[in-house]
PDB file of all heavy atoms in Angstrom:
ATOM      1  N   ALA A 258    -159.564  69.311 131.217  1.00  0.00           N
ATOM      2  CA  ALA A 258    -158.827  68.910 130.005  1.00  0.00           C
ATOM      3  C   ALA A 258    -157.405  69.417 130.151  1.00  0.00           C
ATOM      4  O   ALA A 258    -157.096  70.170 131.078  1.00  0.00           O
ATOM      5  CB  ALA A 258    -159.464  69.487 128.747  1.00  0.00           C
ATOM      6  N   ASP A 259    -156.549  68.991 129.230  1.00  0.00           N
ATOM      7  CA  ASP A 259    -155.162  69.452 129.247  1.00  0.00           C
ATOM      8  C   ASP A 259    -155.126  70.933 128.849  1.00  0.00           C
ATOM      9  O   ASP A 259    -155.526  71.289 127.739  1.00  0.00           O
ATOM     10  CB  ASP A 259    -154.364  68.601 128.249  1.00  0.00           C
ATOM     11  CG  ASP A 259    -152.884  68.952 128.247  1.00  0.00           C
ATOM     12  OD1 ASP A 259    -152.527  70.060 128.711  1.00  0.00           O
ATOM     13  OD2 ASP A 259    -152.088  68.118 127.786  1.00  0.00           O
ATOM     14  N   PRO A 260    -154.645  71.805 129.750  1.00  0.00           N
ATOM     15  CA  PRO A 260    -154.661  73.246 129.463  1.00  0.00           C
ATOM     16  C   PRO A 260    -153.764  73.640 128.285  1.00  0.00           C
ATOM     17  O   PRO A 260    -153.910  74.732 127.744  1.00  0.00           O
ATOM     18  CB  PRO A 260    -154.161  73.885 130.763  1.00  0.00           C
ATOM     19  CG  PRO A 260    -153.476  72.795 131.513  1.00  0.00           C
ATOM     20  CD  PRO A 260    -154.079  71.496 131.064  1.00  0.00           C
ATOM     21  N   ARG A 261    -152.870  72.745 127.882  1.00  0.00           N
ATOM     22  CA  ARG A 261    -152.047  73.071 126.712  1.00  0.00           C
ATOM     23  C   ARG A 261    -152.844  72.901 125.415  1.00  0.00           C
ATOM     24  O   ARG A 261    -152.462  73.376 124.360  1.00  0.00           O
ATOM     25  CB  ARG A 261    -150.805  72.167 126.658  1.00  0.00           C
ATOM     26  CG  ARG A 261    -149.762  72.521 127.718  1.00  0.00           C
ATOM     27  CD  ARG A 261    -148.750  71.410 127.871  1.00  0.00           C
ATOM     28  NE  ARG A 261    -149.441  70.154 128.152  1.00  0.00           N
ATOM     29  CZ  ARG A 261    -148.828  69.009 128.408  1.00  0.00           C
ATOM     30  NH1 ARG A 261    -147.520  68.939 128.409  1.00  0.00           N
ATOM     31  NH2 ARG A 261    -149.528  67.921 128.664  1.00  0.00           N
ATOM     32  N   VAL A 262    -153.957  72.174 125.530  1.00  0.00           N
ATOM     33  CA  VAL A 262    -154.758  71.886 124.339  1.00  0.00           C
ATOM     34  C   VAL A 262    -156.025  72.728 124.314  1.00  0.00           C
ATOM     35  O   VAL A 262    -156.473  73.164 123.265  1.00  0.00           O
ATOM     36  CB  VAL A 262    -155.119  70.377 124.309  1.00  0.00           C
ATOM     37  CG1 VAL A 262    -156.016  70.054 123.118  1.00  0.00           C
ATOM     38  CG2 VAL A 262    -153.862  69.530 124.299  1.00  0.00           C
ATOM     39  N   VAL A 263    -156.598  72.929 125.504  1.00  0.00           N
ATOM     40  CA  VAL A 263    -157.923  73.535 125.583  1.00  0.00           C
ATOM     41  C   VAL A 263    -157.853  74.794 126.440  1.00  0.00           C
ATOM     42  O   VAL A 263    -157.187  74.785 127.486  1.00  0.00           O
ATOM     43  CB  VAL A 263    -158.919  72.516 126.201  1.00  0.00           C
ATOM     44  CG1 VAL A 263    -160.256  73.156 126.478  1.00  0.00           C
ATOM     45  CG2 VAL A 263    -159.075  71.310 125.287  1.00  0.00           C
ATOM     46  N   GLN A 264    -158.538  75.835 126.003  1.00  0.00           N
ATOM     47  CA  GLN A 264    -158.600  77.052 126.820  1.00  0.00           C
ATOM     48  C   GLN A 264    -159.767  76.973 127.798  1.00  0.00           C
ATOM     49  O   GLN A 264    -160.768  76.344 127.506  1.00  0.00           O
ATOM     50  CB  GLN A 264    -158.809  78.269 125.921  1.00  0.00           C
ATOM     51  CG  GLN A 264    -157.523  78.694 125.252  1.00  0.00           C
ATOM     52  CD  GLN A 264    -157.735  79.899 124.362  1.00  0.00           C
ATOM     53  OE1 GLN A 264    -158.855  80.371 124.214  1.00  0.00           O
ATOM     54  NE2 GLN A 264    -156.652  80.361 123.773  1.00  0.00           N
ATOM     55  N   GLY A 265    -159.608  77.642 128.924  1.00  0.00           N
ATOM     56  CA  GLY A 265    -160.720  77.740 129.862  1.00  0.00           C
ATOM     57  C   GLY A 265    -161.003  76.449 130.621  1.00  0.00           C
ATOM     58  O   GLY A 265    -162.139  76.178 130.991  1.00  0.00           O
ATOM     59  N   VAL A 266    -159.947  75.644 130.859  1.00  0.00           N
ATOM     60  CA  VAL A 266    -160.168  74.398 131.594  1.00  0.00           C
ATOM     61  C   VAL A 266    -160.568  74.696 133.038  1.00  0.00           C
ATOM     62  O   VAL A 266    -160.252  75.757 133.571  1.00  0.00           O
ATOM     63  CB  VAL A 266    -158.910  73.496 131.597  1.00  0.00           C
ATOM     64  CG1 VAL A 266    -158.590  73.034 130.191  1.00  0.00           C
ATOM     65  CG2 VAL A 266    -157.740  74.209 132.232  1.00  0.00           C
ATOM     66  N   ARG A 267    -161.252  73.741 133.633  1.00  0.00           N
ATOM     67  CA  ARG A 267    -161.699  73.936 135.011  1.00  0.00           C
ATOM     68  C   ARG A 267    -161.085  72.900 135.930  1.00  0.00           C
ATOM     69  O   ARG A 267    -160.813  71.769 135.527  1.00  0.00           O
ATOM     70  CB  ARG A 267    -163.209  73.735 135.074  1.00  0.00           C
ATOM     71  CG  ARG A 267    -163.921  74.663 134.141  1.00  0.00           C
ATOM     72  CD  ARG A 267    -165.241  75.018 134.720  1.00  0.00           C
ATOM     73  NE  ARG A 267    -166.084  75.590 133.681  1.00  0.00           N
ATOM     74  CZ  ARG A 267    -167.375  75.366 133.603  1.00  0.00           C
ATOM     75  NH1 ARG A 267    -167.954  74.567 134.485  1.00  0.00           N
ATOM     76  NH2 ARG A 267    -168.067  75.928 132.654  1.00  0.00           N
ATOM     77  N   LEU A 268    -160.930  73.309 137.180  1.00  0.00           N
ATOM     78  CA  LEU A 268    -160.471  72.368 138.201  1.00  0.00           C
ATOM     79  C   LEU A 268    -161.605  71.386 138.516  1.00  0.00           C
ATOM     80  O   LEU A 268    -162.758  71.781 138.670  1.00  0.00           O
ATOM     81  CB  LEU A 268    -160.102  73.138 139.471  1.00  0.00           C
ATOM     82  CG  LEU A 268    -159.675  72.266 140.653  1.00  0.00           C
ATOM     83  CD1 LEU A 268    -158.308  71.652 140.408  1.00  0.00           C
ATOM     84  CD2 LEU A 268    -159.666  73.065 141.946  1.00  0.00           C
ATOM     85  N   ILE A 269    -161.263  70.127 138.610  1.00  0.00           N
ATOM     86  CA  ILE A 269    -162.250  69.126 139.045  1.00  0.00           C
ATOM     87  C   ILE A 269    -162.118  69.011 140.561  1.00  0.00           C
ATOM     88  O   ILE A 269    -161.086  68.559 141.063  1.00  0.00           O
ATOM     89  CB  ILE A 269    -161.967  67.759 138.389  1.00  0.00           C
ATOM     90  CG1 ILE A 269    -162.005  67.877 136.866  1.00  0.00           C
ATOM     91  CG2 ILE A 269    -162.971  66.715 138.885  1.00  0.00           C
ATOM     92  CD1 ILE A 269    -161.549  66.607 136.143  1.00  0.00           C
ATOM     93  N   GLU A 270    -163.122  69.420 141.277  1.00  0.00           N
ATOM     94  CA  GLU A 270    -162.992  69.423 142.737  1.00  0.00           C
ATOM     95  C   GLU A 270    -163.216  68.048 143.353  1.00  0.00           C
ATOM     96  O   GLU A 270    -162.682  67.722 144.404  1.00  0.00           O
ATOM     97  CB  GLU A 270    -163.976  70.435 143.350  1.00  0.00           C
ATOM     98  CG  GLU A 270    -163.546  71.861 143.073  1.00  0.00           C
ATOM     99  CD  GLU A 270    -164.431  72.881 143.754  1.00  0.00           C
ATOM    100  OE1 GLU A 270    -165.111  72.523 144.740  1.00  0.00           O
ATOM    101  OE2 GLU A 270    -164.448  74.030 143.297  1.00  0.00           O
ATOM    102  N   HIS A 271    -164.050  67.264 142.686  1.00  0.00           N
ATOM    103  CA  HIS A 271    -164.375  65.952 143.236  1.00  0.00           C
ATOM    104  C   HIS A 271    -164.527  65.005 142.059  1.00  0.00           C
ATOM    105  O   HIS A 271    -165.222  65.303 141.102  1.00  0.00           O
ATOM    106  CB  HIS A 271    -165.693  66.064 144.030  1.00  0.00           C
ATOM    107  CG  HIS A 271    -165.966  64.898 144.914  1.00  0.00           C
ATOM    108  ND1 HIS A 271    -167.097  64.788 145.680  1.00  0.00           N
ATOM    109  CD2 HIS A 271    -165.242  63.775 145.149  1.00  0.00           C
ATOM    110  CE1 HIS A 271    -167.069  63.653 146.358  1.00  0.00           C
ATOM    111  NE2 HIS A 271    -165.960  63.023 146.053  1.00  0.00           N
ATOM    112  N   ILE A 272    -163.867  63.883 142.119  1.00  0.00           N
ATOM    113  CA  ILE A 272    -163.908  62.946 140.994  1.00  0.00           C
ATOM    114  C   ILE A 272    -163.926  61.542 141.549  1.00  0.00           C
ATOM    115  O   ILE A 272    -163.424  61.292 142.657  1.00  0.00           O
ATOM    116  CB  ILE A 272    -162.695  63.193 140.051  1.00  0.00           C
ATOM    117  CG1 ILE A 272    -162.791  62.344 138.778  1.00  0.00           C
ATOM    118  CG2 ILE A 272    -161.385  62.937 140.766  1.00  0.00           C
ATOM    119  CD1 ILE A 272    -161.732  62.723 137.724  1.00  0.00           C
ATOM    120  N   ARG A 273    -164.501  60.639 140.794  1.00  0.00           N
ATOM    121  CA  ARG A 273    -164.537  59.247 141.245  1.00  0.00           C
ATOM    122  C   ARG A 273    -163.212  58.555 140.924  1.00  0.00           C
ATOM    123  O   ARG A 273    -162.529  58.911 139.970  1.00  0.00           O
ATOM    124  CB  ARG A 273    -165.680  58.512 140.549  1.00  0.00           C
ATOM    125  CG  ARG A 273    -167.030  59.108 140.832  1.00  0.00           C
ATOM    126  CD  ARG A 273    -168.047  58.526 139.904  1.00  0.00           C
ATOM    127  NE  ARG A 273    -168.269  57.112 140.164  1.00  0.00           N
ATOM    128  CZ  ARG A 273    -169.221  56.654 140.964  1.00  0.00           C
ATOM    129  NH1 ARG A 273    -170.039  57.486 141.571  1.00  0.00           N
ATOM    130  NH2 ARG A 273    -169.355  55.371 141.148  1.00  0.00           N
ATOM    131  N   PHE A 274    -162.896  57.552 141.702  1.00  0.00           N
ATOM    132  CA  PHE A 274    -161.664  56.793 141.474  1.00  0.00           C
ATOM    133  C   PHE A 274    -161.569  56.271 140.043  1.00  0.00           C
ATOM    134  O   PHE A 274    -160.541  56.379 139.397  1.00  0.00           O
ATOM    135  CB  PHE A 274    -161.617  55.577 142.400  1.00  0.00           C
ATOM    136  CG  PHE A 274    -161.066  55.864 143.752  1.00  0.00           C
ATOM    137  CD1 PHE A 274    -161.843  55.674 144.879  1.00  0.00           C
ATOM    138  CD2 PHE A 274    -159.763  56.291 143.914  1.00  0.00           C
ATOM    139  CE1 PHE A 274    -161.340  55.916 146.138  1.00  0.00           C
ATOM    140  CE2 PHE A 274    -159.245  56.538 145.175  1.00  0.00           C
ATOM    141  CZ  PHE A 274    -160.039  56.353 146.291  1.00  0.00           C
ATOM    142  N   ASP A 275    -162.676  55.675 139.573  1.00  0.00           N
ATOM    143  CA  ASP A 275    -162.594  55.059 138.248  1.00  0.00           C
ATOM    144  C   ASP A 275    -162.388  56.115 137.164  1.00  0.00           C
ATOM    145  O   ASP A 275    -161.671  55.885 136.190  1.00  0.00           O
ATOM    146  CB  ASP A 275    -163.806  54.162 137.955  1.00  0.00           C
ATOM    147  CG  ASP A 275    -165.131  54.816 138.256  1.00  0.00           C
ATOM    148  OD1 ASP A 275    -165.149  56.007 138.647  1.00  0.00           O
ATOM    149  OD2 ASP A 275    -166.172  54.144 138.101  1.00  0.00           O
ATOM    150  N   GLU A 276    -162.969  57.291 137.357  1.00  0.00           N
ATOM    151  CA  GLU A 276    -162.761  58.361 136.381  1.00  0.00           C
ATOM    152  C   GLU A 276    -161.312  58.842 136.418  1.00  0.00           C
ATOM    153  O   GLU A 276    -160.700  59.084 135.368  1.00  0.00           O
ATOM    154  CB  GLU A 276    -163.687  59.534 136.692  1.00  0.00           C
ATOM    155  CG  GLU A 276    -165.163  59.219 136.515  1.00  0.00           C
ATOM    156  CD  GLU A 276    -166.054  60.331 137.071  1.00  0.00           C
ATOM    157  OE1 GLU A 276    -165.645  61.021 138.029  1.00  0.00           O
ATOM    158  OE2 GLU A 276    -167.152  60.509 136.552  1.00  0.00           O
ATOM    159  N   ALA A 277    -160.776  58.969 137.607  1.00  0.00           N
ATOM    160  CA  ALA A 277    -159.387  59.440 137.737  1.00  0.00           C
ATOM    161  C   ALA A 277    -158.422  58.439 137.110  1.00  0.00           C
ATOM    162  O   ALA A 277    -157.460  58.816 136.440  1.00  0.00           O
ATOM    163  CB  ALA A 277    -159.035  59.675 139.198  1.00  0.00           C
ATOM    164  N   ALA A 278    -158.700  57.160 137.314  1.00  0.00           N
ATOM    165  CA  ALA A 278    -157.839  56.132 136.724  1.00  0.00           C
ATOM    166  C   ALA A 278    -157.917  56.210 135.204  1.00  0.00           C
ATOM    167  O   ALA A 278    -156.913  56.067 134.497  1.00  0.00           O
ATOM    168  CB  ALA A 278    -158.252  54.743 137.206  1.00  0.00           C
ATOM    169  N   GLU A 279    -159.110  56.461 134.708  1.00  0.00           N
ATOM    170  CA  GLU A 279    -159.301  56.580 133.266  1.00  0.00           C
ATOM    171  C   GLU A 279    -158.481  57.762 132.731  1.00  0.00           C
ATOM    172  O   GLU A 279    -157.787  57.640 131.728  1.00  0.00           O
ATOM    173  CB  GLU A 279    -160.798  56.810 133.011  1.00  0.00           C
ATOM    174  CG  GLU A 279    -161.224  56.644 131.584  1.00  0.00           C
ATOM    175  CD  GLU A 279    -161.024  55.228 131.078  1.00  0.00           C
ATOM    176  OE1 GLU A 279    -161.323  54.273 131.824  1.00  0.00           O
ATOM    177  OE2 GLU A 279    -160.543  55.089 129.945  1.00  0.00           O
ATOM    178  N   LEU A 280    -158.534  58.890 133.432  1.00  0.00           N
ATOM    179  CA  LEU A 280    -157.764  60.058 132.997  1.00  0.00           C
ATOM    180  C   LEU A 280    -156.271  59.776 133.053  1.00  0.00           C
ATOM    181  O   LEU A 280    -155.516  60.171 132.167  1.00  0.00           O
ATOM    182  CB  LEU A 280    -158.077  61.272 133.871  1.00  0.00           C
ATOM    183  CG  LEU A 280    -159.452  61.885 133.677  1.00  0.00           C
ATOM    184  CD1 LEU A 280    -159.599  63.097 134.585  1.00  0.00           C
ATOM    185  CD2 LEU A 280    -159.635  62.285 132.218  1.00  0.00           C
ATOM    186  N   ALA A 281    -155.867  59.078 134.094  1.00  0.00           N
ATOM    187  CA  ALA A 281    -154.440  58.767 134.233  1.00  0.00           C
ATOM    188  C   ALA A 281    -153.973  57.942 133.039  1.00  0.00           C
ATOM    189  O   ALA A 281    -152.871  58.120 132.541  1.00  0.00           O
ATOM    190  CB  ALA A 281    -154.181  58.028 135.531  1.00  0.00           C
ATOM    191  N   SER A 282    -154.835  57.046 132.566  1.00  0.00           N
ATOM    192  CA  SER A 282    -154.432  56.201 131.441  1.00  0.00           C
ATOM    193  C   SER A 282    -154.288  57.038 130.173  1.00  0.00           C
ATOM    194  O   SER A 282    -153.699  56.600 129.203  1.00  0.00           O
ATOM    195  CB  SER A 282    -155.419  55.060 131.239  1.00  0.00           C
ATOM    196  OG  SER A 282    -156.588  55.555 130.631  1.00  0.00           O
ATOM    197  N   PHE A 283    -154.826  58.243 130.186  1.00  0.00           N
ATOM    198  CA  PHE A 283    -154.634  59.149 129.055  1.00  0.00           C
ATOM    199  C   PHE A 283    -153.451  60.068 129.273  1.00  0.00           C
ATOM    200  O   PHE A 283    -153.298  61.064 128.582  1.00  0.00           O
ATOM    201  CB  PHE A 283    -155.893  59.983 128.816  1.00  0.00           C
ATOM    202  CG  PHE A 283    -156.895  59.227 128.019  1.00  0.00           C
ATOM    203  CD1 PHE A 283    -157.865  58.484 128.648  1.00  0.00           C
ATOM    204  CD2 PHE A 283    -156.822  59.225 126.650  1.00  0.00           C
ATOM    205  CE1 PHE A 283    -158.765  57.753 127.904  1.00  0.00           C
ATOM    206  CE2 PHE A 283    -157.722  58.497 125.901  1.00  0.00           C
ATOM    207  CZ  PHE A 283    -158.701  57.759 126.531  1.00  0.00           C
ATOM    208  N   GLY A 284    -152.666  59.752 130.287  1.00  0.00           N
ATOM    209  CA  GLY A 284    -151.449  60.513 130.470  1.00  0.00           C
ATOM    210  C   GLY A 284    -151.634  61.791 131.259  1.00  0.00           C
ATOM    211  O   GLY A 284    -150.794  62.674 131.199  1.00  0.00           O
ATOM    212  N   ALA A 285    -152.754  61.939 131.994  1.00  0.00           N
ATOM    213  CA  ALA A 285    -152.865  63.067 132.922  1.00  0.00           C
ATOM    214  C   ALA A 285    -151.718  62.886 133.902  1.00  0.00           C
ATOM    215  O   ALA A 285    -151.717  61.972 134.711  1.00  0.00           O
ATOM    216  CB  ALA A 285    -154.214  63.054 133.635  1.00  0.00           C
ATOM    217  N   LYS A 286    -150.704  63.736 133.782  1.00  0.00           N
ATOM    218  CA  LYS A 286    -149.424  63.499 134.452  1.00  0.00           C
ATOM    219  C   LYS A 286    -149.517  63.635 135.973  1.00  0.00           C
ATOM    220  O   LYS A 286    -148.608  63.233 136.682  1.00  0.00           O
ATOM    221  CB  LYS A 286    -148.366  64.482 133.932  1.00  0.00           C
ATOM    222  CG  LYS A 286    -147.984  64.246 132.497  1.00  0.00           C
ATOM    223  CD  LYS A 286    -146.815  63.272 132.412  1.00  0.00           C
ATOM    224  CE  LYS A 286    -146.681  62.572 131.061  1.00  0.00           C
ATOM    225  NZ  LYS A 286    -147.182  63.288 129.917  1.00  0.00           N
ATOM    226  N   VAL A 287    -150.608  64.197 136.442  1.00  0.00           N
ATOM    227  CA  VAL A 287    -150.694  64.522 137.850  1.00  0.00           C
ATOM    228  C   VAL A 287    -150.632  63.284 138.745  1.00  0.00           C
ATOM    229  O   VAL A 287    -150.088  63.303 139.832  1.00  0.00           O
ATOM    230  CB  VAL A 287    -151.997  65.292 138.130  1.00  0.00           C
ATOM    231  CG1 VAL A 287    -152.062  65.726 139.576  1.00  0.00           C
ATOM    232  CG2 VAL A 287    -152.099  66.486 137.217  1.00  0.00           C
ATOM    233  N   LEU A 288    -151.204  62.216 138.265  1.00  0.00           N
ATOM    234  CA  LEU A 288    -151.390  61.065 139.137  1.00  0.00           C
ATOM    235  C   LEU A 288    -150.986  59.795 138.400  1.00  0.00           C
ATOM    236  O   LEU A 288    -151.395  59.574 137.273  1.00  0.00           O
ATOM    237  CB  LEU A 288    -152.882  60.996 139.461  1.00  0.00           C
ATOM    238  CG  LEU A 288    -153.293  60.170 140.635  1.00  0.00           C
ATOM    239  CD1 LEU A 288    -152.899  60.900 141.914  1.00  0.00           C
ATOM    240  CD2 LEU A 288    -154.798  59.991 140.609  1.00  0.00           C
ATOM    241  N   HIS A 289    -150.214  58.969 139.041  1.00  0.00           N
ATOM    242  CA  HIS A 289    -149.854  57.693 138.441  1.00  0.00           C
ATOM    243  C   HIS A 289    -151.020  56.719 138.635  1.00  0.00           C
ATOM    244  O   HIS A 289    -151.555  56.615 139.728  1.00  0.00           O
ATOM    245  CB  HIS A 289    -148.595  57.181 139.142  1.00  0.00           C
ATOM    246  CG  HIS A 289    -147.963  56.048 138.427  1.00  0.00           C
ATOM    247  ND1 HIS A 289    -148.434  54.773 138.523  1.00  0.00           N
ATOM    248  CD2 HIS A 289    -146.913  56.000 137.588  1.00  0.00           C
ATOM    249  CE1 HIS A 289    -147.680  53.985 137.775  1.00  0.00           C
ATOM    250  NE2 HIS A 289    -146.747  54.709 137.201  1.00  0.00           N
ATOM    251  N   PRO A 290    -151.431  56.014 137.576  1.00  0.00           N
ATOM    252  CA  PRO A 290    -152.605  55.149 137.717  1.00  0.00           C
ATOM    253  C   PRO A 290    -152.500  54.150 138.870  1.00  0.00           C
ATOM    254  O   PRO A 290    -153.481  53.905 139.576  1.00  0.00           O
ATOM    255  CB  PRO A 290    -152.693  54.396 136.386  1.00  0.00           C
ATOM    256  CG  PRO A 290    -151.664  54.970 135.503  1.00  0.00           C
ATOM    257  CD  PRO A 290    -150.878  56.004 136.227  1.00  0.00           C
ATOM    258  N   ASN A 291    -151.301  53.627 139.071  1.00  0.00           N
ATOM    259  CA  ASN A 291    -151.143  52.644 140.154  1.00  0.00           C
ATOM    260  C   ASN A 291    -151.421  53.241 141.523  1.00  0.00           C
ATOM    261  O   ASN A 291    -151.712  52.532 142.469  1.00  0.00           O
ATOM    262  CB  ASN A 291    -149.717  52.085 140.169  1.00  0.00           C
ATOM    263  CG  ASN A 291    -149.501  51.096 139.068  1.00  0.00           C
ATOM    264  OD1 ASN A 291    -150.466  50.648 138.455  1.00  0.00           O
ATOM    265  ND2 ASN A 291    -148.257  50.779 138.799  1.00  0.00           N
ATOM    266  N   THR A 292    -151.269  54.545 141.603  1.00  0.00           N
ATOM    267  CA  THR A 292    -151.531  55.230 142.865  1.00  0.00           C
ATOM    268  C   THR A 292    -152.918  54.889 143.356  1.00  0.00           C
ATOM    269  O   THR A 292    -153.188  54.818 144.544  1.00  0.00           O
ATOM    270  CB  THR A 292    -151.566  56.761 142.637  1.00  0.00           C
ATOM    271  OG1 THR A 292    -150.387  57.115 141.993  1.00  0.00           O
ATOM    272  CG2 THR A 292    -151.723  57.501 143.934  1.00  0.00           C
ATOM    273  N   ILE A 293    -153.789  54.765 142.381  1.00  0.00           N
ATOM    274  CA  ILE A 293    -155.198  54.627 142.679  1.00  0.00           C
ATOM    275  C   ILE A 293    -155.516  53.317 143.374  1.00  0.00           C
ATOM    276  O   ILE A 293    -156.208  53.308 144.385  1.00  0.00           O
ATOM    277  CB  ILE A 293    -155.990  54.705 141.349  1.00  0.00           C
ATOM    278  CG1 ILE A 293    -155.662  55.984 140.611  1.00  0.00           C
ATOM    279  CG2 ILE A 293    -157.450  54.547 141.570  1.00  0.00           C
ATOM    280  CD1 ILE A 293    -156.390  57.167 141.118  1.00  0.00           C
ATOM    281  N   SER A 294    -154.989  52.214 142.855  1.00  0.00           N
ATOM    282  CA  SER A 294    -155.588  50.945 143.232  1.00  0.00           C
ATOM    283  C   SER A 294    -155.472  50.560 144.717  1.00  0.00           C
ATOM    284  O   SER A 294    -156.487  50.188 145.300  1.00  0.00           O
ATOM    285  CB  SER A 294    -155.135  49.824 142.306  1.00  0.00           C
ATOM    286  OG  SER A 294    -153.827  49.488 142.596  1.00  0.00           O
TER     287      SER A 294
END
Side-chain angles (χ1 to χ4, degrees):
D259 183 340
R261 287 165 305 184
V262 177
V263 172
Q264 281 180 357
V266 295
R267 303 212 196 143
L268 177 71
I269 301 172
E270 289 185 21
H271 194 182
I272 187 171
R273 300 168 67 93
F274 275 119
D275 48 3
E276 294 170 331
E279 193 64 42
L280 289 181
S282 76
F283 278 92
K286 292 270 158 28
V287 184
L288 198 73
H289 193 281
N291 284 347
T292 307
I293 304 280
S294 74

